[in-house]
Amino acid sequence: GDEAAAAAALARQAVLTKPPGSLGRLEDLAVWLARWQGRAIPRLDQVSIAVFAGNHGIAARGVSAFPIEVTAQMVANYAAGGAAINRLAETAGATLTVVPLDLDRPTADFTKAPAMDEGEFLAAVSAGYAAVAPDLDLFAVGEMGIGNTTAAAALCAALLGGGAARWVGRGSGVDDHGLSRKRDAVEAGLARHGAKVADPLAIAAALGGRELAAMMGATLAARRHRIPMLLDGYIASAAVLPLARMASDALAHCRAAHCSGEPGHKALLPALGLVPLLDIGMRLGEGTGAAVAMLLARAALSCHAGMATFSEAGVAEKTC
Amino acid sequence: GDEAAAAAALARQAVLTKPPGSLGRLEDLAVWLARWQGRAIPRLDQVSIAVFAGNHGIAARGVSAFPIEVTAQMVANYAAGGAAINRLAETAGATLTVVPLDLDRPTADFTKAPAMDEGEFLAAVSAGYAAVAPDLDLFAVGEMGIGNTTAAAALCAALLGGGAARWVGRGSGVDDHGLSRKRDAVEAGLARHGAKVADPLAIAAALGGRELAAMMGATLAARRHRIPMLLDGYIASAAVLPLARMASDALAHCRAAHCSGEPGHKALLPALGLVPLLDIGMRLGEGTGAAVAMLLARAALSCHAGMATFSEAGVAEKTC
């Protein structure tokens, strides 16, 4: 990040017509945008959300409340403009890009084999990297993939411990039997691949999915281009956990948009060093939480860029 | 509220292309707007924020970090468009009305006399009531008044107990000496007026302020006109506490926009039966938290009104 731009933004916040600090995290968001854009007064003209979609072999084990066909059906829904992320991206003033990743070729069932081989994994990471235009002012990732809360839980359990019970939730809404199948699947995945824990990328390939790998690649691209980035929910956060395990500041350009209603997310966010902006029980994915958080970024910028200073407004400053 | 409209909105939420409940509180917001507007698909065309400003005799006791002149200076700043609420109202698509209430005539110092006599109190309530147009789709109140966190704390302490320490915070940023003076002022106010606790309106007149009374009147008007309403922070919430003490469902048309960084607010919200939408450390007042929460309401409506249903999109529904 650009510390000079951040310092200039912080100095501006101190003289705007409000008690110092009284806009709370809106002030932090303005300074964060300034730091990563390298502008004391940042802008939000080019705002973009990339949604990656993938299919999962593990879905065949009955871990989701929805059939695997729904991944492609929802991609069609995105194209038609009928999904939540279409409406929220529009509300947030963000362009939406949807990248389906080999939907007719699900990953392998990770209880039997690595979800992806090295070539498949790198292709997905590259697809994510390539989806990020270098001149964005703010970026977010989202995902769609029936079965991917199971992949996210397996990744978290492998890299952070605590067993399946800590990381498996109801996802899109499985019943008790489905929940039990999810836990069994995660435990079986850990038994097969857990020994690779010293290599977070190998874990990502073995237990993750194409859309998770793509979100990792997109996060690297945003960092490379110094684009401030909002992480969406549980799956997006799990997707970048391998990066955080390899480099403690890998997510310095990221903010957590929200804490998902999916319970594992609350445990995952501290492991990423992130404090969520919103906690309103969203658990849809698609980048929807990130899109709502973009509204907070717009609110933050509107104050930062548009408020009068004490001297401009002739308002007396703090006296004690 | 209109339960038929709410039921129709809830039924629509169940068939939109997302797992049931996965938009969390955005779904609740859509149903809440439907209930109070009496429309299964509500609208947010006429959205308004009213900011009431008042001055406080108690300010002479050194309870604020800012001089009392700042109230009028900030009203001028609102007129010039330079304050946070100007920028946030614009971002939220809300019209902003600012109502200064006898700024050259502060309330009485409540450690010595009731802040307002009955006539002054009723005039302020009426000014608030009159500030609400009957055809609004969404409404919020905010306030400006140097010293008014002290009035809010005194109101809460009188009606909810726990003493000054539970309700007094640093407000706009007083130092330790100022904090001590605030606590002393609240304790003195309780000693003088606490016996009136059985009459919440008498407490509101004795310990509150004109802008607090006006917010109470505006809240009554919104209820009368069935307008869904967002409460701002600590002072707006304290202002309506007397209503909640008189009628348990008086705030059924309200949602709490946020939990203020001012610590008393976290204790106050449960007493009002409200769960805040945001908790991002804002403590500016002016309706700023409510304006940011309006963005969430817009996000909620965009999904509710604009998403495709499962059958429209040809997406398979939940199977287990």
Side-chain angles (χ1 to χ4, degrees):
Chain A
D2 181 330
E3 291 308 318
L10 202 58
R12 176 167 170 80
Q13 281 290 329
V15 297
L16 297 176
T17 44
K18 60 181 173 53
S22 64
L23 282 173
R25 296 197 68 188
L26 296 188
E27 299 190 13
D28 166 71
L29 283 173
V31 174
W32 166 71
L33 292 171
R35 174 179 287 115
W36 289 97
Q37 292 188 13
R39 297 181 188 100
I41 298 187
R43 59 192 188 199
L44 288 172
D45 300 332
Q46 304 291 329
V47 175
S48 180
I49 301 171
V51 175
F52 301 98
N55 271 323
H56 294 262
I58 197 69
R61 303 189 85 83
V63 297
S64 177
F66 288 85
I68 195 171
E69 291 72 24
V70 165
T71 304
Q73 290 166 353
M74 285 301 294
V75 168
N77 196 22
Y78 303 145
I85 190 59
N86 296 101
R87 301 280 63 80
L88 293 174
E90 181 179 87
T91 301
T95 59
L96 178 66
T97 308
V98 179
V99 184
L101 299 155
D102 292 330
L103 295 189
D104 53 354
R105 201 161 55 91
T107 57
D109 176 347
F110 66 56
T111 68
K112 298 180 181 163
M116 294 166 280
D117 64 27
E118 194 172 286
E120 292 169 323
F121 175 67
L122 291 176
V125 172
S126 297
Y129 195 100
V132 184
D135 57 348
L136 296 176
D137 299 322
L138 179 62
F139 176 64
V141 286
E143 45 54 49
M144 175 69 214
I146 297 302
N148 68 9
T149 54
T150 303
L155 258 175
C156 292
L159 293 175
L160 297 173
R166 186 179 179 199
W167 301 105
V168 171
R170 291 183 188 270
S172 54
V174 288
D175 61 16
D176 288 347
H177 295 295
L179 189 64
S180 171
R181 289 191 295 269
K182 277 182 86 166
R183 288 194 186 123
D184 291 348
V186 169
E187 292 293 355
L190 291 175
R192 177 169 290 273
H193 305 292
K196 300 170 190 166
V197 63
D199 182 350
L201 293 181
I203 289 289
L207 294 169
R210 287 192 183 87
E211 76 278 37
L212 282 84
M215 289 191 285
M216 181 192 290
T219 303
L220 288 168
R223 180 58 173 268
R224 169 72 182 79
H225 302 310
R226 299 190 170 209
I227 301 167
M229 175 167 167
L230 288 164
L231 290 172
D232 191 39
Y234 184 44
I235 298 148
S237 300
V240 298
L241 174 61
L243 297 180
R245 300 303 281 179
M246 290 186 290
S248 62
D249 78 334
L251 305 179
H253 64 307
C254 296
R255 289 288 182 272
H258 75 127
C259 183
S260 171
E262 180 73 2
H265 201 204
K266 197 182 287 285
L268 173 55
L269 285 168
L272 299 175
L274 296 172
V275 179
L277 288 160
L278 294 160
D279 189 0
I280 53 173
M282 296 177 72
R283 52 180 173 80
L284 174 51
E286 300 183 351
T288 51
V292 178
M294 282 175 170
L295 296 170
L296 302 190
R298 290 201 180 275
L301 178 60
S302 73
C303 291
H304 184 73
M307 281 177 70
T309 64
F310 282 104
S311 62
E312 285 166 358
V315 174
E317 295 197 48
K318 214 177 141 184
T319 56
C320 71
Chain B
D2 182 328
E3 291 309 317
L10 202 59
R12 176 166 170 81
Q13 281 289 330
V15 297
L16 297 177
T17 44
K18 60 182 173 52
S22 64
L23 283 173
R25 296 197 67 188
L26 297 188
E27 299 189 14
D28 166 72
L29 283 173
V31 174
W32 166 71
L33 292 171
R35 174 179 288 115
W36 289 96
Q37 291 188 14
R39 297 182 188 100
I41 297 187
R43 60 191 187 199
L44 289 172
D45 300 332
Q46 303 291 329
V47 176
S48 181
I49 302 171
V51 176
F52 301 97
N55 271 323
H56 294 262
I58 197 70
R61 303 190 85 82
V63 296
S64 177
F66 288 85
I68 195 171
E69 291 73 24
V70 165
T71 303
Q73 290 167 352
M74 285 301 296
V75 167
N77 195 21
Y78 303 145
I85 190 57
N86 295 102
R87 301 281 62 81
L88 292 174
E90 181 179 88
T91 301
T95 59
L96 178 65
T97 308
V98 180
V99 183
L101 298 155
D102 293 329
L103 296 189
D104 54 353
R105 201 161 54 92
T107 56
D109 175 347
F110 65 57
T111 69
K112 298 179 182 163
M116 294 166 279
D117 65 27
E118 194 173 287
E120 292 169 322
F121 175 68
L122 290 176
V125 172
S126 297
Y129 195 99
V132 183
D135 57 348
L136 296 176
D137 300 321
L138 179 62
F139 176 64
V141 286
E143 43 55 49
M144 174 71 214
I146 296 301
N148 68 9
T149 53
T150 304
L155 259 174
C156 292
L159 293 175
L160 297 173
R166 186 179 180 199
W167 302 105
V168 171
R170 291 183 187 272
S172 54
V174 287
D175 60 16
D176 288 348
H177 296 295
L179 189 65
S180 173
R181 288 191 295 268
K182 278 182 84 164
R183 288 194 187 123
D184 291 347
V186 169
E187 291 294 355
L190 292 175
R192 178 169 290 272
H193 305 292
K196 301 170 190 164
V197 62
D199 183 350
L201 293 181
I203 289 288
L207 294 169
R210 288 191 183 87
E211 76 277 38
L212 283 83
M215 289 191 284
M216 181 192 289
T219 303
L220 288 168
R223 179 58 173 267
R224 169 73 181 79
H225 303 309
R226 299 192 170 206
I227 301 166
M229 175 168 167
L230 289 163
L231 290 172
D232 192 38
Y234 184 44
I235 298 147
S237 301
V240 299
L241 174 60
L243 297 180
R245 301 302 282 179
M246 290 186 291
S248 63
D249 78 335
L251 304 179
H253 64 308
C254 296
R255 290 288 182 271
H258 76 126
C259 183
S260 171
E262 180 73 2
H265 200 204
K266 196 181 288 284
L268 173 55
L269 286 167
L272 299 174
L274 296 172
V275 178
L277 289 160
L278 294 160
D279 188 359
I280 53 173
M282 295 177 73
R283 52 179 174 79
L284 174 51
E286 300 182 352
T288 51
V292 178
M294 282 175 169
L295 296 170
L296 301 190
R298 290 202 180 274
L301 179 59
S302 74
C303 290
H304 184 73
M307 281 178 68
T309 65
F310 283 104
S311 63
E312 287 166 357
V315 174
E317 294 196 49
K318 213 177 140 185
T319 54
C320 72

